[in-house]
Amino acid sequence: MTIRKKEAAPFETRELRRSLKEFLSTPYPTGIDQEIKPIEWFKWGVYIFYDYDGEPIYVGQTKEKVSGRISRHLTNQRTDAVAMSVLDPYEVYEIEVFPIPGFQHLSAKDKTSRETLDALEFKVHQIAVEKSKFGAILNEKDPPNPVRDVVLPRSVKGRIVSDEVRKLRGHPDTRTARRAQVVARLAQTISERDVKVGLRRTLFTQTTRLQSLAGERFEAAGGAANVEKGSEGSDEEGKNRIK
């Protein structure tokens, strides 16, 4: 019996892991004297995922470890958001993290800490929605109203997609096709289950995003005016415009 040598992960997967590791190595003050630690070291925090257009698409929180939670979203360790087609990891181009210094030693069961984390998620969620040109992100649920106030910590934002991977994934037509597949999977999930209204809102938001991207490509090809020309060179002109 011949034992095959273990093959390396695909190029895109390797690049994602490399870029993600580089981002998570970004230094950040711990709040203890002058101590500096990488972002991945922090247990508590909130994060925003952005797509290739700089559009905020998803907000999450963690009280286990920033690196672990984000990595599970973006690698083969699936989360509910990915499994339900709420979040497509291929859409994530940049990440912004809001660590909470000083909470490192606290238990995930600590009431005050959890309330602070929830309050921070609420504030960051509001920021993401305000930044969105659609006035909405893909989260199925909104964070609960905070029971305490919280000061927004300094964030760290960085790209996790290399130039090489962007060439493979970043073309608007590729992203349109991918987004259409996600919409179809999410719609299928909704059709097979008794779901809450939040998931239907996610579907509406994602279809709005799909329509917007397809509309941009349509306009780039000449739009309605070009269609009206019929077969008189419109195809060739459209190809030249849409490249």
Side-chain angles (χ1 to χ4, degrees):
M1 179 178 175
T2 302
I3 300 177
R4 296 182 61 184
K5 184 178 179 181
K6 184 178 179 181
E7 296 181 0
F11 168 75
E12 292 180 59
T13 301
R14 298 197 309 271
E15 280 293 284
L16 171 62
R17 290 173 178 168
R18 181 191 63 77
S19 298
L20 181 59
K21 183 177 181 180
E22 184 177 311
F23 168 72
L24 292 172
S25 298
T26 305
Y28 193 93
T30 65
I32 304 173
D33 297 327
Q34 301 298 316
E35 186 179 33
I36 302 293
K37 292 286 187 179
I39 285 293
E40 65 181 353
W41 178 83
F42 290 84
K43 288 173 58 178
W44 298 73
V46 175
Y47 50 90
I48 306 176
F49 291 153
Y50 296 85
D51 71 7
Y52 284 73
D53 297 319
E55 177 74 19
I57 56 175
Y58 189 84
V59 171
Q61 63 158 256
T62 179
K63 49 184 175 287
E64 52 186 59
K65 201 171 185 184
V66 168
S67 59
R69 184 63 175 166
I70 289 175
S71 296
R72 280 204 300 276
H73 278 307
L74 302 179
T75 62
N76 61 350
Q77 300 181 56
R78 295 164 67 85
T79 63
D80 288 345
V82 175
M84 293 287 286
S85 295
V86 169
L87 173 69
D88 179 12
Y90 275 57
E91 289 253 42
V92 181
Y93 183 73
E94 291 179 304
I95 304 175
E96 185 172 15
V97 178
F98 299 79
I100 306 181
F103 277 30
Q104 204 69 10
H105 65 288
L106 298 176
S107 166
K109 297 180 180 179
D110 182 76
K111 184 172 183 288
T112 300
S113 304
R114 286 189 285 106
E115 289 176 352
T116 301
L117 182 64
D118 289 342
L120 178 59
E121 183 185 13
F122 180 87
K123 185 167 286 191
V124 172
H125 187 278
Q126 284 187 314
I127 291 172
V129 170
E130 289 171 2
K131 283 183 177 181
S132 169
K133 69 178 181 181
F134 306 110
I137 57 177
L138 297 176
N139 290 67
E140 180 185 354
K141 300 176 182 178
D142 291 334
N145 290 326
V147 297
R148 61 176 62 245
D149 193 21
V150 63
V151 177
L152 192 70
R154 178 174 66 85
S155 68
V156 173
K157 187 176 182 181
R159 187 178 73 166
I160 62 159
V161 175
S162 66
D163 291 337
E164 291 79 5
V165 174
R166 183 183 176 95
K167 291 176 183 177
L168 297 172
R169 294 183 179 179
H171 193 285
D173 287 344
T174 302
R175 292 168 52 219
T176 299
R178 178 84 185 191
R179 198 170 292 179
Q181 292 172 352
V182 172
V183 166
R185 289 200 302 268
L186 181 55
Q188 184 70 29
T189 296
I190 291 174
S191 74
E192 295 172 348
R193 305 186 186 187
D194 183 14
V195 301
K196 296 182 179 180
V197 68
L199 200 59
R200 295 185 184 278
R201 182 184 66 179
T202 297
L203 177 61
F204 176 75
T205 302
Q206 192 67 292
T207 53
T208 302
R209 287 162 44 77
L210 172 60
Q211 182 181 30
S212 176
L213 190 55
E216 290 172 7
R217 297 302 287 158
F218 176 54
E219 292 302 321
N226 205 38
V227 172
E228 291 172 358
K229 292 180 180 180
S231 60
E232 297 178 4
S234 60
D235 285 347
E236 189 60 37
E237 292 174 12
K239 289 178 182 177
N240 291 334
R241 286 193 182 95
I242 206 167
K243 287 180 180 177

